[in-house]
Amino acid sequence: MNDINVTMTAFHGNDKPPSFITLIRSLLERISMLVRTESPGAFTPYDMYQIHTTLIGMETDFIDENLYGHWFFESWQKKVALNSMLFTKLLKNSIAMDSPAPLFTIRFGGFEKAYCTCADEAFLEWECLSGGSEFHSCGRSAYEGSFYAFAPGPAVFTGWPVPAKNRIDEFPHSLYLFRRAFEKAGFMDKYHSSEHPQWKDDDCYMKLGTFTGPVKNLSLIKEEMRDFLNSLNPITIEIHPKDVAVILYRDTSLNENAIIEKLVLPDILKEPGKLHMLFERLQEMKKTKE
């Protein structure tokens, strides 16, 4: 996949809710402390600007002078043409811009300490019958999914949609439904792959940084981080249209130097042609690079 690509994010940049910044900083401090004890220098934290969630990857492949959905082709070997105008229409149908209600309310922390051992076919449903978790997602209980890491690779913390701040024990799986809706326009979530066709990606996941190599006692670090999140009173963060952006980038770090163009959601909905022009720019850049 060409490095130059597009994604739809929430909370990319420095304008994050104060309570969310506090949570992120506490997680970064804790993981840095744990890694310093076990494997000094092995963890490279992201800065606050970089940390974001991906609402839906909009990555593309340039084939025969046209743009196609990367994850459709990568996983299912299907050439699905992208339609940015239909994407914007679907956005308008799903978002009430004049409503004070958030697009999503995400709960972080306070999930039951439970482990999922369900068979693959069980992930076609949300109920975790093996471990007593609130639900399971992408092969993990909510507790296990609240923090996970690979070495080398990313360190990730995760929350999930709830209906509202006063209904934190209900899980409508609205982020999963949001991601599925945009398959009509050629954009498929990378975790809805042929490798795991039973998975339903409802995760609001955020990379905190990366491990640059092997880490001693990585399992212990993951468990410590999950226990820390488990000990918190649940924290809810609202995602509003102003928090959402479509980003044309030159590498997936999404640091400041990686951003080519950034369109915030309210501007896209007011002027749909802007998104179409962004994809035209992407196509020209891919054509030039090839």
Side-chain angles (χ1 to χ4, degrees):
M1 181 172 60
N2 195 311
D3 285 342
I4 299 169
N5 247 301
V6 176
T7 189
M8 174 178 271
T9 69
F11 297 127
H12 178 264
N14 292 318
D15 188 19
K16 295 175 171 67
S19 59
F20 200 29
I21 291 174
T22 299
L23 173 62
I24 292 169
R25 284 178 176 162
S26 67
L27 292 171
L28 285 171
E29 288 170 5
R30 196 166 191 88
I31 192 172
S32 294
M33 178 190 68
L34 291 168
V35 173
R36 191 162 54 244
T37 301
E38 300 294 341
S39 299
F43 180 66
T44 302
Y46 278 5
D47 60 38
M48 195 61 67
Y49 181 91
Q50 288 175 274
I51 295 173
H52 66 279
T53 188
T54 299
L55 295 184
I56 183 164
M58 302 172 74
E59 292 84 2
T60 66
D61 290 326
F62 184 63
I63 306 171
D64 301 328
E65 300 294 311
N66 290 300
L67 295 176
Y68 295 91
H70 171 75
W71 299 112
F72 270 116
F73 192 75
E74 174 81 4
S75 181
W76 300 97
Q77 296 299 300
K78 292 181 181 179
K79 287 171 62 176
V80 180
L82 300 180
N83 188 328
S84 59
M85 299 304 282
L86 176 56
F87 184 89
T88 309
K89 183 178 179 180
L90 291 167
L91 274 176
K92 284 188 170 183
N93 290 343
S94 62
I95 295 170
M97 287 296 293
D98 57 350
S99 171
L103 305 180
F104 302 100
T105 300
I106 308 296
R107 171 183 163 179
F108 295 93
F111 294 103
E112 290 290 331
K113 187 167 185 174
Y115 300 87
C116 178
T117 58
C118 293
D120 282 350
E121 57 270 18
F123 290 96
L124 292 169
E125 305 296 335
W126 295 107
E127 186 178 4
C128 182
L129 298 175
S130 62
S133 176
E134 292 85 350
F135 53 86
H136 53 202
S137 181
C138 296
R140 304 179 182 97
S141 67
Y143 169 80
E144 293 169 296
S146 66
F147 181 87
Y148 56 92
F150 305 93
V156 180
F157 80 106
T158 307
W160 288 270
V162 294
K165 288 186 174 183
N166 60 347
R167 296 167 64 191
I168 61 170
D169 294 319
E170 301 173 43
F171 300 96
H173 310 297
S174 50
L175 191 48
Y176 163 72
L177 296 172
F178 180 87
R179 288 166 172 155
R180 279 295 192 195
F182 292 102
E183 291 182 9
K184 297 174 185 176
F187 301 97
M188 189 182 80
D189 184 274
K190 68 182 289 186
Y191 296 108
H192 294 154
S193 67
S194 57
E195 183 180 0
H196 299 287
Q198 72 279 9
W199 282 7
K200 298 178 177 181
D201 184 13
D202 193 45
D203 296 9
C204 183
Y205 56 90
M206 303 198 186
K207 293 181 183 178
L208 290 165
T210 58
F211 289 106
T212 54
V215 174
K216 183 181 177 182
N217 292 332
L218 181 62
S219 295
L220 176 63
I221 292 171
K222 289 191 290 186
E223 199 74 358
E224 289 274 357
M225 294 298 293
R226 290 165 179 169
D227 284 345
F228 174 68
L229 283 160
N230 164 263
S231 71
L232 300 177
N233 290 323
I235 297 166
T236 56
I237 306 295
E238 294 181 341
I239 300 177
H240 293 271
K242 67 178 179 60
D243 302 314
V244 177
V246 174
I247 298 174
L248 175 61
Y249 61 83
R250 56 174 51 92
D251 73 69
T252 56
S253 70
L254 295 196
N255 62 34
E256 293 191 64
N257 294 328
I259 309 306
I260 300 169
E261 186 174 351
K262 185 173 179 178
L263 297 175
V264 293
L265 182 54
D267 288 349
I268 292 171
L269 295 179
K270 287 176 187 173
E271 299 182 62
K274 285 188 174 183
L275 185 62
H276 184 67
M277 290 172 64
L278 183 143
F279 272 92
E280 286 185 334
R281 184 178 181 186
L282 172 65
Q283 182 163 326
E284 287 302 312
M285 294 181 78
K286 283 181 173 284
K287 187 185 298 185
T288 301
K289 191 164 184 177
E290 291 194 354

